[in-house]
Amino acid sequence: MNYKRFCLFFLLALLASCQDSNEKRLAENQKEAKRKEVIFTNISKNWSFYNEPINEVALETQSTWNEWRSFLAELGGKPQKTIGAFQKKSTTIVKKTYLLTTTIPPQFNNPAIKSRLSVLLTKIEMMNLFIHLDKIPDDKVVFLIGDINKELVSLQRQMDKIVEVDKIPKEEGESELIQMLKDTARAIPDTPNIPLKTSN
């Protein structure tokens, strides 16, 4: 008789613990769902990139630099349904940014533009990394969106500056001097190799 009571008590305890763990699991799932909803809402609300050229040069460059046009178009679209859509969009933006760094037009192929593109790519890759984490730090993603916009402005202003400098007429011999500075093999040595006369 004691054995039957013990078994009955054991079964009741087991059922009660299973019910408790189910309730805990449900509560945790609801809490996780709310957390993901808050993250999605925060990212969705702040997902806004400067996808329109800010000056004439950036606008005109769209017609000759296909990757620039494609990159700006990609920044313009905003995912709607899930955090997975934002993750996919972020990955695509990384690819488009990488293409920018490898297809720079000759006019803009200089250290100032390359460094700005490199910084832009780094920040976009960071955003992509954060948005793909299991626990997404939405505040960091939102912060990086603002930083990416600043880098976009900086890049377009530098493009404008390069075009403005190119419009300034060069003085006679200036282009040869610039070429000599770039091509150090042709440059005149700083000090001539003249043997020193020693007095006896």
Side-chain angles (χ1 to χ4, degrees):
M1 196 68 168
N2 285 339
Y3 178 74
K4 287 183 180 178
R5 284 184 186 168
F6 176 75
C7 286
L8 183 62
F9 177 73
F10 180 75
L11 284 174
L12 288 174
L14 185 65
L15 286 172
S17 70
C18 285
Q19 190 173 3
D20 285 347
S21 75
N22 281 342
E23 288 174 5
K24 284 180 184 176
R25 194 176 311 120
L26 281 172
E28 286 173 11
N29 287 345
Q30 286 176 346
K31 190 176 179 181
E32 182 66 15
K34 284 180 182 177
R35 188 183 69 80
K36 285 182 177 179
E37 188 180 328
V38 167
I39 289 170
F40 175 80
T41 303
N42 192 22
I43 291 174
S44 181
K45 184 174 71 175
N46 292 287
W47 189 275
S48 177
F49 294 101
Y50 297 160
N51 65 316
E52 294 292 326
I54 65 165
N55 55 38
E56 285 296 316
V57 172
L59 182 63
E60 290 168 6
T61 304
Q62 283 185 308
S63 61
T64 56
W65 191 6
N66 294 334
E67 290 78 11
W68 174 247
R69 181 177 59 250
S70 177
F71 170 73
L72 290 178
E74 192 63 42
L75 289 179
K78 181 177 179 179
Q80 299 294 326
K81 306 256 182 199
T82 63
I83 201 71
F86 282 103
Q87 292 169 335
K88 187 177 178 184
K89 183 74 160 176
S90 179
T91 302
T92 305
I93 291 172
V94 169
K95 291 176 185 172
K96 300 277 183 182
T97 311
Y98 180 74
L99 281 174
L100 280 182
T101 65
T102 59
T103 61
I104 304 170
Q107 181 183 18
F108 300 122
N109 197 0
N110 64 41
I113 294 292
K114 286 180 180 178
S115 66
R116 281 167 177 78
L117 282 172
S118 177
V119 171
L120 180 65
L121 177 61
T122 301
K123 292 193 176 185
I124 288 174
E125 284 176 331
M126 284 173 59
M127 179 190 72
N128 189 45
L129 172 76
F130 286 136
I131 208 165
H132 278 88
L133 293 175
D134 289 336
K135 292 188 176 179
I136 300 169
D138 54 317
D139 55 333
K140 290 183 179 179
V141 172
V142 169
F143 178 79
L144 282 166
I145 289 170
D147 260 11
I148 290 165
N149 282 331
K150 288 176 189 172
E151 294 304 326
L152 284 167
V153 169
S154 174
L155 173 64
Q156 292 179 68
R157 286 184 177 154
Q158 186 62 41
M159 289 163 67
D160 187 54
K161 186 176 178 182
I162 289 169
V163 169
E164 289 304 313
V165 168
D166 285 348
K167 288 179 183 175
I168 299 171
K170 292 186 174 27
E171 292 184 22
E172 188 177 325
E174 186 178 352
S175 56
E176 289 84 9
L177 180 63
I178 291 171
Q179 187 60 36
M180 271 180 60
L181 290 171
K182 288 180 182 177
D183 186 8
T184 55
R186 288 182 34 201
I188 301 168
D190 290 339
T191 54
N193 292 331
I194 300 173
L196 296 172
K197 291 183 181 179
T198 56
S199 57
N200 292 336

